[in-house]
């Protein structure tokens, strides 16, 4: 079973978790810098060119780094990554949830994750996410070189809106929310506006940073952002 097949089978048994579409070689993988706790991982493993990793993402802004355990062909490592929008400075002084080894059988691996990692990971993530907040009920959007949005926030409801409902992805290398590169510029614009309207109806203040300077979009009046207008 390949790493991609394993993570897809694992995600089927972990409600709320989604697997990455493709695997990535771990050699020089920038996402490895976002591993919160390496557990039994020897970092010499990153010297190899042949090993691939995958990532599982939860709509609370959490990610799990999944890779074969070195020298143990019947096991995988599942390592908690820093929550979305956080860096190692946000977790200083906090007890990290421990990365663990799991059997290569997806059903047994899912049971072990439920028992030994997932609850601790969710509880431990609340504080660093709050620490990373750019301001009270604030969502900040920067535009990358291709004018695609990269979103920062410190609120789990925003992650749920973007990741569970808005079609956004969570970049394992940066911890930022972004839309798939497969979308056209017009599709990206429409999807971004739709998600931001929902957030503004929920009292979030949006700031878009561009070369022309920041543009502020205050909260909208209360209402149901998912209900269409009646004629």
């Amino acid at each position: 079973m390949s790493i991609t097949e394993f993570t897809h089978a694992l995600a089927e048994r972990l409600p709320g978790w989604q697997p990455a579409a493709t695997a990535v070689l771990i050699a020089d993988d920038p996402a490895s810098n976002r591993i919160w706790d390496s557990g039994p991982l020897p970092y010499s493993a990153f010297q190899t060119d042949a090993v691939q990793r995958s990532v599982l993402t939860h709509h609370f802004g959490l990610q799990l780094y999944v890779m074969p355990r070195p020298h143990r062909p019947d096991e995988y490592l599942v390592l908690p990554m820093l929550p979305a929008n956080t860096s190692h400075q946000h977790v200083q002084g906090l007890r990290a949830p421990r990365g663990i080894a799991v059997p290569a059988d997806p059903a047994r691996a899912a049971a072990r994750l439920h028992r030994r990692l997932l609850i601790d990971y969710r509880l431990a993530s609340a504080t660093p996410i709050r620490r990373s907040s750019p301001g009270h009920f604030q969502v900040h959007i920067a535009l990358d070189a291709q004018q695609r949005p990269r979103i920062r926030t410190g609120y789990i409801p925003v992650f749920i809106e973007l990741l569970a409902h808005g079609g956004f992805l969570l970049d394992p290398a940066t911890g930022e929310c972004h839309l798939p590169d497969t979308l056209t510029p017009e599709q990206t614009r429409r999807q971004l506006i739709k998600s931001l309207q929902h957030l503004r109806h929920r009292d979030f203040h949006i700031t878009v940073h561009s070369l022309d300077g920041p543009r502020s979009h205050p909260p909208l009046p209360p209402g149901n952002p998912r209900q269409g207008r009646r004629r």
Side-chain angles (χ1 to χ4, degrees), residues 5-63:
E5 292 170 333
F6 177 75
T7 51
H8 277 73
L10 195 55
E12 292 175 356
R13 295 163 171 84
L14 299 175
W17 293 88
Q18 295 294 324
T22 58
V24 174
L25 290 172
I26 66 170
D28 301 319
D29 175 25
S32 67
N33 296 322
R34 294 189 55 78
I35 293 174
W36 188 353
D37 183 88
S38 59
L41 170 67
Y43 264 83
S44 59
F46 286 94
Q47 305 302 316
T48 180
D49 293 329
V51 178
Q52 292 183 316
R53 61 82 173 164
S54 188
V55 169
L56 290 168
T57 300
H58 193 276
H59 54 245
F60 285 3
L62 308 180
Q63 291 182 307

Side-chain angles (χ1 to χ4, degrees), residues 134-146:
H136 182 64
F137 273 60
Q138 296 284 320
V139 177
H140 286 252
I141 303 173
L143 301 178
D144 64 17
Q146 288 73 43

Side-chain angles (χ1 to χ4, degrees), residues 147-216:
Q147 296 298 297
R148 294 182 177 274
R150 311 287 292 195
I151 298 182
R152 296 186 299 110
T153 186
Y155 291 93
I156 290 177
V158 178
F159 299 137
I160 294 174
E161 171 62 42
L162 297 177
L163 300 174
H165 306 299
F168 280 76
L169 305 174
L170 185 56
D171 187 342
T174 66
E176 298 171 328
C177 294
H178 66 100
L179 284 165
D181 293 339
T182 53
L183 296 184
T184 67
E186 179 59 24
Q187 289 172 327
T188 298
R189 187 186 71 84
R190 288 201 305 265
Q191 190 61 47
L192 177 63
I193 291 174
K194 180 180 177 181
S195 294
L196 296 187
Q197 290 289 91
H198 293 162
L199 291 173
R200 292 174 68 197
H201 275 293
R202 300 182 65 180
D203 292 332
F204 285 97
H205 191 119
I206 311 298
T207 302
V208 180
H209 302 268
S210 68
L211 294 177
D212 298 327
R215 299 195 304 274
S216 181

Side-chain angles (χ1 to χ4, degrees), residues 83-162:
N85 193 51
T86 69
S87 65
H88 285 282
Q89 70 179 20
H90 297 119
V91 299
Q92 288 183 358
L94 301 178
R95 184 181 67 84
R98 293 288 295 170
I100 63 173
V102 299
D105 177 85
R108 294 170 55 209
R112 184 172 297 183
L113 284 170
H114 278 298
R115 188 169 63 250
R116 294 183 50 191
L117 176 59
L118 296 185
I119 294 177
D120 285 347
Y121 185 23
R122 291 181 187 180
L123 293 176
S125 297
T127 296
I129 288 176
R130 285 197 301 270
R131 287 178 177 179
S132 75
S133 175
H136 182 64
F137 273 60
Q138 296 284 320
V139 177
H140 286 252
I141 303 173
L143 301 178
D144 64 17
Q146 288 73 43
Q147 296 298 297
R148 294 182 177 274
R150 311 287 292 195
I151 298 182
R152 296 186 299 110
T153 186
Y155 291 93
I156 290 177
V158 178
F159 299 137
I160 294 174
E161 171 62 42
L162 297 177

